Amino acid sequence: MSLRKMFTGAMVAALVSVAAACGTSEENGSSESGTAFTPPKLSALNKLGTPEGALNVLAWAGYAEDGSNDPKVDWVTPFEKATGCQVDVKVFGTSDEAVSLMKTGQYDTVSASGDASLRLIAGGDVEPVNTGLVPNYADLFPFLKNQAWNSVKGVSYGIPHGWGANLLMYRTDTVKPAPTSWSAVFEDNPSTKGKVTAYDSPIYIADAALYLMKTKPDLKITNPYALDDKQFAAAVGLLKKQKANVGEYWSDYLKEVSAFKAGDSVVGTTWQVIANVAKTEGADVEAVLPSEGSTGWSDTWMVGAKSKHKTCAYKWLDHIVSPKANAQVAEYFGESPANPKACAFTADKKHCDTYHAGDAAYAKQIWYWSTPITQCLDGRTDVKCTDYSAWTKAWTEIKG
């Protein structure tokens, strides 16, 4: 499938609103689940029953395609034929919307992102997942399992689906020498003033926190999603300073591509898939994972606690990470698949290399998006950390 075809219809909505995806990492390595809060006592399904004949799916656009957007893009229909579970898909636009919709109890499964997953778990809206009932789970990359974005205190709450990093993109004809650090966007540079671009979301505060974690050790930041008042103030201060150099805050990949093509933006955050599109449209750009590492996403399929179709839900979880379906989603959406066997089924045989599938060393450099909560995700108990509501308020102030 060409990149052009990948970004039609629903994909635009997916990339505009993918401010979601998951978890945390320890320095030089992904963290195991160790979230401080205690979730409501819910049990995972013991055994599969007879498929109930229906499945209500809540998903990011591009994650549950049934051919209606493109007849050639359909992994829902084969699932329906194989299981007898008739799928009804509700597409959501933001993680806040997903959390709100899951509270209704109307949905059996959700493709949760990291700024939603902990809220869903803490609210009792999703339940633990019995991974033994998902045969394809055994094949998934080990570094995606039992992580802070899909597990709590060793209990799995979902099935890893796909992942990617937030990269540093720059115009090769303008930004010289080639940048290798996030200092390219956070420190003053006369040649890029007014032409820096940053991701338009409160979760971007974590990018600033990650940079400070690596450059200001006196702040003692050990997790960019676990910030006490002093650490949070430093990150917000850095972003307020950065604003003088920002020409645009982006959330629409098409606008970012256009800005880099025109030279209105010359350096800033991006995704690999956006860099690929920009290159195919003639922009002189490159994208790198900076020396400090980066934030990123790792999405998870979860089961609704009030689901009335749990056997169908488990059938879906297994289907969506099966080699062929996982390959279709990863290529259509523009991310690394969770199942290494998917790499044999991508139309573009270089897809898994491009998106670093199976590259654990690369993945260890990513701090996956996670919902900031008052109980510090870095394990501290002597202070309270700033929660997502504080991040949202601060983001409004940063943008002015």
Side-chain angles (χ1 to χ4, degrees):
M1 180 184 299
S2 71
L3 285 169
R4 287 285 189 183
K5 289 183 178 179
M6 286 172 60
F7 297 106
T8 57
M11 271 311 301
V12 174
L15 285 171
V16 168
S17 58
V18 71
C22 321
T24 61
S25 301
E26 296 294 345
E27 184 174 3
N28 298 323
S30 300
S31 78
E32 294 182 357
S33 58
T35 308
F37 72 91
T38 299
K41 292 184 178 180
L42 296 170
S43 299
L45 191 68
N46 284 328
K47 62 180 181 179
L48 298 180
T50 302
E52 300 88 354
L55 182 69
N56 296 318
V57 174
L58 188 60
W60 289 109
Y63 270 11
E65 292 295 302
D66 61 3
S68 58
N69 289 307
D70 182 341
K72 298 179 180 178
V73 181
D74 183 359
W75 47 89
V76 169
T77 302
F79 168 78
E80 292 177 325
K81 291 180 179 179
T83 64
C85 303
Q86 296 304 302
V87 177
D88 182 61
V89 179
K90 168 68 175 179
V91 172
F92 60 85
T94 68
S95 284
D96 286 347
E97 183 183 355
V99 171
S100 178
L101 288 170
M102 281 303 292
K103 289 186 180 300
T104 67
Q106 298 177 12
Y107 300 95
D108 302 301
T109 184
V110 58
S111 60
S113 295
D115 55 349
S117 54
L118 293 185
R119 285 185 280 170
L120 292 170
I121 295 170
D125 302 309
V126 295
E127 65 185 31
V129 168
N130 183 345
T131 58
L133 300 180
V134 183
N136 283 300
Y137 182 81
D139 293 330
L140 305 189
F141 290 117
F143 61 82
L144 297 177
K145 299 177 179 180
N146 299 316
Q147 300 298 325
W149 59 90
N150 55 36
S151 304
V152 176
K153 297 182 178 179
V155 178
S156 177
Y157 278 80
I159 304 299
H161 170 76
W163 62 278
N166 296 316
L167 302 174
L168 175 64
M169 185 161 71
Y170 62 97
R171 289 268 311 203
T172 58
D173 58 345
T174 304
V175 182
K176 298 180 179 181
T180 59
S181 166
W182 287 113
S183 62
V185 299
F186 289 123
E187 303 297 338
D188 293 334
N189 184 336
S191 67
T192 59
K193 184 176 179 61
K195 295 187 177 183
V196 173
T197 186
Y199 188 56
D200 190 1
S201 170
I203 208 69
Y204 183 66
I205 294 173
D207 290 58
L210 174 60
Y211 180 66
L212 292 174
M213 183 173 76
K214 300 294 186 177
T215 59
K216 302 290 184 182
D218 55 303
L219 288 170
K220 298 181 180 179
I221 298 174
T222 60
N223 182 321
Y225 304 99
L227 306 177
D228 61 32
D229 289 342
K230 180 181 178 181
Q231 296 165 340
F232 185 66
V236 170
L238 179 59
L239 291 172
K240 287 183 176 179
K241 175 188 173 185
Q242 181 199 44
K243 185 176 186 298
N245 298 318
V246 173
E248 181 181 40
Y249 293 98
W250 70 273
S251 60
D252 184 333
Y253 91 93
L254 290 173
K255 291 183 178 179
E256 187 182 29
V257 169
S258 296
F260 270 87
K261 286 173 60 179
D264 296 330
S265 293
V266 298
V267 66
T269 54
T270 197
W271 302 318
Q272 184 65 59
V273 67
I274 297 175
N276 292 349
V277 173
K279 286 182 179 182
T280 63
E281 295 193 0
D284 296 321
V285 300
E286 290 293 341
V288 297
L289 183 71
S291 58
E292 299 89 357
S294 76
T295 58
W297 75 89
S298 175
D299 287 343
T300 303
W301 282 98
M302 310 178 92
V303 176
K306 298 178 182 178
S307 168
K308 297 179 180 179
H309 312 111
K310 290 185 180 178
T311 293
C312 280
Y314 270 80
K315 293 286 186 180
W316 173 259
L317 264 55
D318 191 50
H319 169 72
I320 205 65
V321 293
S322 63
K324 187 174 181 180
N326 202 214
Q328 290 175 298
V329 180
E331 195 163 20
Y332 184 67
F333 191 81
E335 63 185 1
S336 172
N339 191 335
K341 293 182 178 179
C343 296
F345 291 89
T346 57
D348 176 5
K349 296 309 175 184
K350 295 182 179 180
H351 179 87
C352 283
D353 290 336
T354 299
Y355 289 88
H356 300 274
D359 189 342
Y362 182 91
K364 284 181 180 179
Q365 300 177 67
I366 303 170
W367 288 81
Y368 298 96
W369 282 338
S370 186
T371 308
I373 57 178
T374 56
Q375 293 165 304
C376 299
L377 298 176
D378 58 7
R380 285 180 293 170
T381 58
D382 58 334
V383 297
K384 285 187 176 182
C385 284
T386 51
D387 63 13
Y388 195 70
S389 64
W391 287 43
T392 301
K393 180 180 179 182
W395 186 245
T396 301
E397 295 173 353
I398 289 165
K399 292 178 63 180

